[in-house]
Amino acid sequence: MFMMFAMTSDSVGEIIKEVKIAFSVTNAQASLMHSLPMLGIALSGLFLGFLADKLGRKPTIIIGLAVFGIACYSFMVANDFIFIVSLMTLSGIAVGIFKTGALALIGDISTSTRQHTSTMNGAEAFFGVGAIIGPLLVAYLIHQGVAWQWLYVIAGGVCTLLIVVALLVRYPSYVRTHRSEAEQVSVKQSLALVKNPYAFGFSMGAFLYVAAESAIYVWMPSYLVCDAMSVKATYECYSDGMARTLAIYSVTAFFVLRAAGRFVGIWMMSHFNWALVLMVFSGAIVLCFGLGLAGGKQVALYLFPLSGIFMSVIYPTFNSKGISCFPKHQHGSVAGVILFFTAAGAAAGPFIMGIVSDSMGGDAKYGFIVATGFAFLLFIGLVYNYLKNPTQQRLTEIEASEYGANG
C-alpha cells in the first residue's frame, strides 16, 4: 500500500512539467496538483482517522483502497486540468483512510515501542521504493509516447490486487479485545488529540519535515532545468555527461538514497538513540539545502539528492514515536492527527514555494530558500528534543502498559 501510494504522489514533480506545457498553467496553479491531494489526505486523516479504531483496521483499509482504485481508473478519461486535480484530490482522501488503518495496524503487530519504530521504517522503506518506481514509469511512458495518466491506471491495478489480499489476510483481533474503547471513538475525540502535547509536538515536526522534503520532488526538476521555457530539453548547461544524467534523474537519485536510508534505518533505530540520530540528520539536511543554494545548480545537483539519506529515518520515526505515546485503542486516531499535519505540510510547503517563486520571476531557487527555512526550524525543534527528551517518561509508561504482556 505504501509503495502504491508513493508511485503516484512522488511522481508529481515529473507530471507537473508535462501539465504546465499541456495546459499553460503557472507554478502556483500547477502546485495544486500536489497541494490539493495533500489537503485531501490531511482532512481525511483528521476527520476519518477514527474509523480505524471504530470499524477496525481491515474494513478501514479496504474502504480506502476501494475509493483510491476508483479514482485511479477514472484517469483513463481525464483530459481536463480541473478534472485531473479533482481526481488527485479524491485519491488523497482515500489515502488518508487506508493509511491511518495501516499505521494503526503496525502498532497492533509490534511488541515494543522500539520494534514499532523499526517496523515503521520498514513500511516507509517500501514507500521509498514506490517513489523510485513512479517517476521512472512516468519518464518511460512519456518517452514511449504514452500519456502519463496511465501511471494511475497501473496503480489502480495494484490497488485491486491489494484489495483481494486484504480480504484474504487474517488481521489481529484488535476490535474484539478492545470493544468498549472502540465504541467510544469519535471525531470529537480525534480532534481533542490535537491539543495533546505529544500528538501536537510530533505532528508539527512532521509538518516541517514534509514541507522541506516536498521541495525536492515537487520543485527540484524545475530548479535544475537551465531553460525554464523548455523543460523537455536536454539540460544543456551541464557540460559533463555524468552531471547531465544526474540532472535528468535527480529525483530518482533522491528517492533511491531515501529508500536505502530507510532500510538501514530498520537496524539503526534498534541500536542508536533515536533523538540523537534525528538531530544530526536534520542538521545535515540544512547543510545540504544551504550549501546547494549557495553553490548554485552545479552544486545543488549533488547536494539536493544527497539530502535523501538524511531525510530517510525522520518521518517514520516521527510517526512511530508519536503513535507510541498513546495506547493502542487510540492508534488510529492519533495516526490520523499526525497524517493531517503531514499532508498539511506537503500541501502548504510546495504551494508557498510556488507563490514565492512566481513573485520572484518564476525562479524555483527562491522556493528552495523557503524550504531551507522549514528545515532549519525542524533542526531547532530536534535539538530541543534531544536535550530535553520530553517523551522519555511517556514512552516508558506505554511500554509497560501496552507491550509488557507481549514482550
Side-chain angles (χ1 to χ4, degrees), residues 9 11-38 81-82 84-86 88-89 148 152 217-219 222 231 346-347 350-355 358:
S9 66
S11 299
V12 70
E14 300 297 328
I15 295 173
I16 281 176
K17 293 192 299 183
E18 301 300 315
V19 170
K20 285 173 66 177
I21 295 173
F23 299 102
S24 300
V25 295
T26 66
N27 286 330
Q29 291 171 329
S31 69
L32 293 176
M33 298 178 63
H34 178 73
S35 297
L36 288 182
M38 292 302 108
F81 180 70
I82 295 178
I84 288 171
V85 173
S86 298
M88 287 182 166
T89 304
W148 59 264
Y152 282 84
Y217 60 83
V218 176
W219 292 121
S222 298
V231 295
F351 185 67
I352 294 171
M353 295 169 207
I355 291 176
D358 284 343

Side-chain angles (χ1 to χ4, degrees), residues 98-183:
F98 74 68
K99 191 171 183 180
T100 50
L103 292 173
L105 180 61
I106 290 175
D108 292 348
I109 63 176
S110 298
T111 57
S112 69
T113 57
R114 184 178 290 270
Q115 186 193 53
H116 190 282
T117 301
S118 296
T119 304
M120 190 71 75
N121 272 276
E124 291 289 352
F126 281 93
F127 182 96
V129 172
I132 298 169
I133 295 173
L136 287 176
L137 267 177
V138 172
Y140 176 78
L141 290 172
I142 293 172
H143 181 71
Q144 296 296 318
V146 179
W148 59 264
Q149 285 93 331
W150 279 92
L151 169 72
Y152 282 84
V153 179
I154 294 171
V158 175
C159 186
T160 301
L161 177 62
L162 286 173
I163 292 174
V164 174
V165 172
L167 288 169
L168 297 177
V169 169
R170 184 177 180 179
Y171 282 50
S173 56
Y174 161 77
V175 174
R176 287 193 297 272
T177 58
H178 295 80
R179 184 169 298 278
S180 61
E181 295 99 330
E183 289 174 350

Side-chain angles (χ1 to χ4, degrees), residues 20-65:
K20 285 173 66 177
I21 295 173
F23 299 102
S24 300
V25 295
T26 66
N27 286 330
Q29 291 171 329
S31 69
L32 293 176
M33 298 178 63
H34 178 73
S35 297
L36 288 182
M38 292 302 108
L39 180 61
I41 294 175
L43 296 177
S44 179
L46 186 62
F47 292 104
L48 299 177
F50 76 95
L51 291 177
D53 298 328
K54 185 78 171 181
L55 303 179
R57 317 317 193 197
K58 186 172 186 174
T60 301
I61 288 173
I62 292 174
I63 291 171
L65 288 175

